[in-house]
């Protein structure tokens, strides 16, 4: 591939300069080629230097850079972080796919490192990364990658990448390697909620079963704007516990100084009807019992739901 490109460049240069005086800089470059420096070798050296510059010196940073590259579908960056043996395994496939990984839908919306441990050799570390997958209609499950890293000089390279579970999609792979059958299986566990205000949320069934969603108005806010309330179903106390509320504000609401100066509203997004904000409780409703089963579940749910509504 590089040889064809080089020959084409030389031919173009020859044709364009016949019968005309060559600029000094081209003559100097030509002289360097005559000394044994080819355009291909210069190109390869430049790429190698760029690759070296992005490899971190701590294992966790290497994993963070890798996860970000997966989200951005950047196979070139992922490749640079691999050990030589791993690079040899994936080079042909990545090159054939123009260094693009993943699929257009679902895509990686967020990611986080969920486990980290040192292996027997102190020069090796193992991490599990969770990728949250989304489509245009909402969350489409998660994907888990297990990475083994090995220290090479001052840098940490990825020695092995594998699926952390049998249901993993492999979103870090190229288009033809991603297991779409597992994506379809994950969709079967999702439920969709659509409000009368035009808000659609797709949530895992296990989360939907733990919450109640009600529509009404926020009577404690100025002008009683339309609101969508999210409650945690506390099975132990047999009651609903407020998680947060979505405020659906009109243009008229937004002109009010009350909402312009509101200290607890967080912007979510807009649709054809409203500008949407969420308001969460200022204090944990379980107080001193935050570490109880219900307290922990409430905390987990509010974090998951707020993360989801940010993509409305």
């Amino acid at each position: 591939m590089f040889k064809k490109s080089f020959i084409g460049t030389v031919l173009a240069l020859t044709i364009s300069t016949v019968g005309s005086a060559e600029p000094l800089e081209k003559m100097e470059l030509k002289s360097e080629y005559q000394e044994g420096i080819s355009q291909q070798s210069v190109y390869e050296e430049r790429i190698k230097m760029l690759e070296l510059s992005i490899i971190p010196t701590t294992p966790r940073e290497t994993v963070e850079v890798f996860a970000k590259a997966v989200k951005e579908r950047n196979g070139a960056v992922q490749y640079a972080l691999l050990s030589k043996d791993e690079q040899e395994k994936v080079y042909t496939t990545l090159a054939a796919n123009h260094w693009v990984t993943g699929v257009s839908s679902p895509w990686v919306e967020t990611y986080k490192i969920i486990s980290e441990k040192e292996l027997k050799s102190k020069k090796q570390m193992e991490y599990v990364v969770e990728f949250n997958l989304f489509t245009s209609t909402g969350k489409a499950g998660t994907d888990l990658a297990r990475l083994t890293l090995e220290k090479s000089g001052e840098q940490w390279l990825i020695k092995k990448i594998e699926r952390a579970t049998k249901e993993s999609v492999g979103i870090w792979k190229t288009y033809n390697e991603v297991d779409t059958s597992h994506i379809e299986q994950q969709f079967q566990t999702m439920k969709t909620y659509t409000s009368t205000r035009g808000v659609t949320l797709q949530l895992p069934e296990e989360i939907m079963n733990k919450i109640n969603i009600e529509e009404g108005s926020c009577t404690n806010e100025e002008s009683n704007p339309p609101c969508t309330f999210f409650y945690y179903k506390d099975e132990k106390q047999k009651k609903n516990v407020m998680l947060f509320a979505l405020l659906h504000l009109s243009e008229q609401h937004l002109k009010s100084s009350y909402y312009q100066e509101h200290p607890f509203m967080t912007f979510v997004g807009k649709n054809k009807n409203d500008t949407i904000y969420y308001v969460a409780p200022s204090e944990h409703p379980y107080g001193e019992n935050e570490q109880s089963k219900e307290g922990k579940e409430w905390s987990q749910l509010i974090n998951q739901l707020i993360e989801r509504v940010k993509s409305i």
Side-chain angles (χ1 to χ4, degrees), residues 115-131:
S115 75
E116 172 183 9
K117 70 176 181 179
E118 187 177 71
L119 301 181
K120 290 182 179 180
S121 169
K122 291 187 177 180
K123 289 188 176 182
Q124 289 190 353
M125 296 287 293
E126 182 183 276
Y127 292 83
V128 174
V129 183
E130 179 183 77
F131 297 100

Side-chain angles (χ1 to χ4, degrees), residues 29-151:
L29 185 58
K30 193 173 181 180
S31 175
E32 288 180 350
Y33 287 158
Q34 291 171 349
E35 293 175 8
I37 301 177
S38 69
Q39 183 177 357
Q40 180 178 344
S41 65
V42 171
Y43 173 80
E44 290 174 344
E45 288 171 354
R46 178 169 67 87
I47 294 300
K48 188 62 179 177
M49 293 300 289
L50 288 171
E51 288 180 346
L52 290 172
S53 71
I54 65 173
I55 304 173
T57 55
T58 69
R60 192 176 184 89
E61 287 177 336
T62 295
V63 176
E64 290 281 359
V65 173
F66 172 81
K68 184 174 185 290
V70 172
K71 179 180 178 180
E72 296 173 347
R73 304 182 64 191
N74 190 330
V77 171
Q78 294 174 54
Y79 177 83
L81 300 169
L82 303 178
S83 67
K84 186 175 180 180
D85 288 345
E86 277 297 296
Q87 285 183 337
E88 290 176 355
K89 292 177 185 177
V90 302
Y91 179 86
T92 301
T93 304
L94 283 172
N97 284 274
H98 307 286
W99 304 94
V100 176
T101 58
V103 290
S104 58
S105 183
W107 61 84
V108 175
E109 184 74 15
T110 59
Y111 57 83
K112 64 179 177 180
I113 296 172
I114 61 174
S115 75
E116 172 183 9
K117 70 176 181 179
E118 187 177 71
L119 301 181
K120 290 182 179 180
S121 169
K122 291 187 177 180
K123 289 188 176 182
Q124 289 190 353
M125 296 287 293
E126 182 183 276
Y127 292 83
V128 174
V129 183
E130 179 183 77
F131 297 100
N132 291 307
L133 307 180
F134 277 73
T135 69
S136 59
T137 56
K139 188 174 173 63
T142 58
D143 201 9
L144 297 175
R146 179 177 286 107
L147 309 179
T148 302
L149 278 72
E150 188 170 59
K151 192 171 185 181

